[in-house]
Amino acid sequence: MSRRAVRRLRGEQRGQELLGLAHLGLEGPPPSAAAGRGRRGPARTGVSNRFELIPAEELEDEPPSSEERADAWLHERDATEGNNEVAVAEEAERDGHRDGEEAEQPDQMPSLSNKPRKKKKKRKTKKTSAEETLEDNDLEHIDGLLEKPEDTNGLSQNSQSGVISDSKPLLYVEHRNLNPENELKRYFGARAVLGDQRPRQRQHQHVRSTWLTTPKNTWPRYSRTGMSMELLETRRGVQYFAFKHHHKYQQLQFKFLEAVESMNLNNIVMLLEALDPYHVDSLLQLSDVCRMREDHEMARDFIEQALYSMECTFHPVFSLTSGTCRLDYRRPENRSFFLALFKHLMFLEKRGCPRTALEFCKLILSLDPDNDPLCMLLLIDFLSLRAREYTFLTRMFQEWESHRNLSQLPNFAFSVPLAYFFLSQQEERSELELSQAQERAAQLIQLALIMFPSVLMPLLDHCGVQPDTRVTSHSFFGLNAQISQPPALTQLTSLYVERTHSLWKDPAVMAWLETHVHEVLRKVDARDPLVQEAEHKRKTRYQSAPRNIYRHIVLSEVKEAMAALPLEVTSQPVMGHDPLPPLDSIISYTRPERTNPPSSENTLSLFFRSLLPNFNMQEDIRHDGEEEAGAGQDLNQGVNRLMAAMRDMLVNIQFQEPPRDDNPEGDGDWD
């Protein structure tokens, strides 16, 4: 028997009394109904349905309507009591507490009291809250899974408050740390960062949401520019990619190079406005111009547009976070991405977002960690200290020292002991960890002072600290230490001191440094073998810096370091869109040669060009000689035009007579 029939049957057995109230005109409820309303225990009197006494937990169900009760009352004569009881018993055994709840509802319907309803409502609330709690736990679990970035190496990615755990790869990049707004919110709060801005709506005019930048409504509508990314090969779990310029983008690149050679900024602006607003090299070049004009907001906006344009062309399997995707800097198509990331990193650091800048630094280093074309190892220690990621810096030193010799770089030699010193000041660590950090910091800072003594005096000078007479009078840290070191080492030390001197101004740091400086002087006076060994290393190494260090100094624009660059670097032109390209570049396409007459740039043409601004021998020769077969005829026409221009110049020359003096013999005073 169906549940609906059973429900009607129960309504029928009680409905005789209930319908008697409504249809027979009785004034009051029967004693059984009154007793049922008065108490809700098992000891009820006058219960017409024996199965109503089955104890069951009440569940929510809609009470039967009056039509259902009337229908059940009319069908009473067609059903036997025995069959009904058997059917109801079977249904009660199957449904349990639901039948018990439905069995009580007909008795409660005629009552005007809200007490049972309140109880049911309370139970419903409890049930709803339990369901919501379960649902919230499920959502938190799902959110936790979504927040876990993918890891191709299968390592655990659990992290707390942005601290890198040992289970993650060293150069692992977290998506949430690529957004500077997240860091600014931690410093100043969401209200101060966002203000009255509404949540960003879906950007219909852009292709997709990106991780490197957030597209703005003020940017031009994006369309495919002719650039794409392709997967070259996969070796030992590492994937090698490369950007590719199609024919359309190659033509844009040729026009851009012509605009740069013309030394006219308007040509680059016209290229962006008329041809492609997302040409990467043009955006990088305009960003440099705006930065030199102190328009940092516009310069940063151009860099973000370039990053957005390149991210829209990523290969489907290219990952920013895995640390297993590589780009070869020797390919000119890939260099724009490196440069855009580096310049965006510098803007983030100046904006006060060192944690975000550190994440971009790890991203650049992960693209080519073996060659490090932009020499990010000279910058990553500074960003780690500024972001207070001391554990990351010490871990990097421990893992890479064996095969990269990080201690031979002045920045790592001084920054790592400083990181250990800051770790030793953290009270939440155990006594054993604090003592180990203090011991490690003392050992490394003494080695750094012995290996690079030329760093101390410029560092104290930038910090505004006057050392004692014992330090100033000693030759080990004197002026001779700076003069005798190789030029390449001077570049590295100048770069480090200028960049990180603000981190050493803490009085506690200076007191700690002073203690170990005196200890180093004691070892020098005692002729410690470490001092002689370090001097030998300084003389044999650092003879010439590799090209990536020069490239890093040029991009960083640190004055002291740029002043120490060799003549071979400063004498050649450095282009902002491709500074100091690798000597072993991999060229995929070449620029077509421009056909210019050989006699267009001789001394005579330059002379007349300087005299007559409207005269352009090259344009005249090109205009009249484009369709001529022989170069001799072009030269003759150029010479004829040159002679005509000379005649015009001589005709237009007017000689003015000197002023006449009416009293030539007048007296005059001589000074």
Side-chain angles (χ1 to χ4, degrees), residues 19-32:
L19 292 176
L21 295 174
H23 298 281
L24 300 179
L26 297 179
E27 294 181 357
S32 61

Side-chain angles (χ1 to χ4, degrees), residues 599-618 642-643 645-647 649-650 653:
S599 60
S600 61
E601 292 295 335
N602 52 26
T603 305
L604 191 61
S605 65
L606 294 176
F607 170 74
F608 282 103
R609 183 181 301 173
S610 62
L611 293 178
L612 303 174
N614 295 330
F615 174 74
N616 192 335
M617 180 179 178
Q618 181 177 355
L642 179 61
M643 297 302 296
M646 293 177 60
R647 287 193 296 268
M649 182 185 67
L650 295 176
I653 293 178

Side-chain angles (χ1 to χ4, degrees), residues 455-498:
V455 175
L456 179 63
M457 298 307 294
L459 182 61
L460 297 179
D461 186 30
H462 279 76
C463 295
V465 176
Q466 181 65 32
D468 53 17
T469 55
R470 183 186 177 189
V471 177
T472 55
S473 60
H474 204 286
S475 60
F476 186 74
F477 292 115
L479 184 61
N480 186 31
Q482 303 178 28
I483 297 177
S484 60
Q485 67 181 358
L489 185 56
T490 303
Q491 300 162 14
L492 297 178
T493 56
S494 301
L495 183 65
Y496 177 73
V497 170
E498 179 66 22

Side-chain angles (χ1 to χ4, degrees), residues 306-344:
L307 287 175
Y308 175 75
S309 175
M310 303 194 78
E311 187 172 1
C312 289
T313 63
F314 280 177
H315 193 274
V317 299
F318 183 82
S319 175
L320 296 172
T321 62
S322 63
T324 58
C325 298
R326 301 288 185 265
L327 289 174
D328 195 347
Y329 193 81
R330 294 177 301 174
R331 297 181 179 272
E333 297 87 347
N334 297 339
R335 296 172 194 168
S336 301
F337 188 57
F338 281 89
L339 297 175
L341 289 175
F342 187 91
K343 294 179 180 181
H344 185 58

Side-chain angles (χ1 to χ4, degrees), residues 26 72 99 114-115 261 327 456 463 511 548 573 583 659 669:
L26 297 179
D99 287 4
N114 293 329
K115 184 176 181 181
E261 293 175 355
L327 289 174
L456 179 63
C463 295
N548 59 344
L583 301 179
D669 296 332

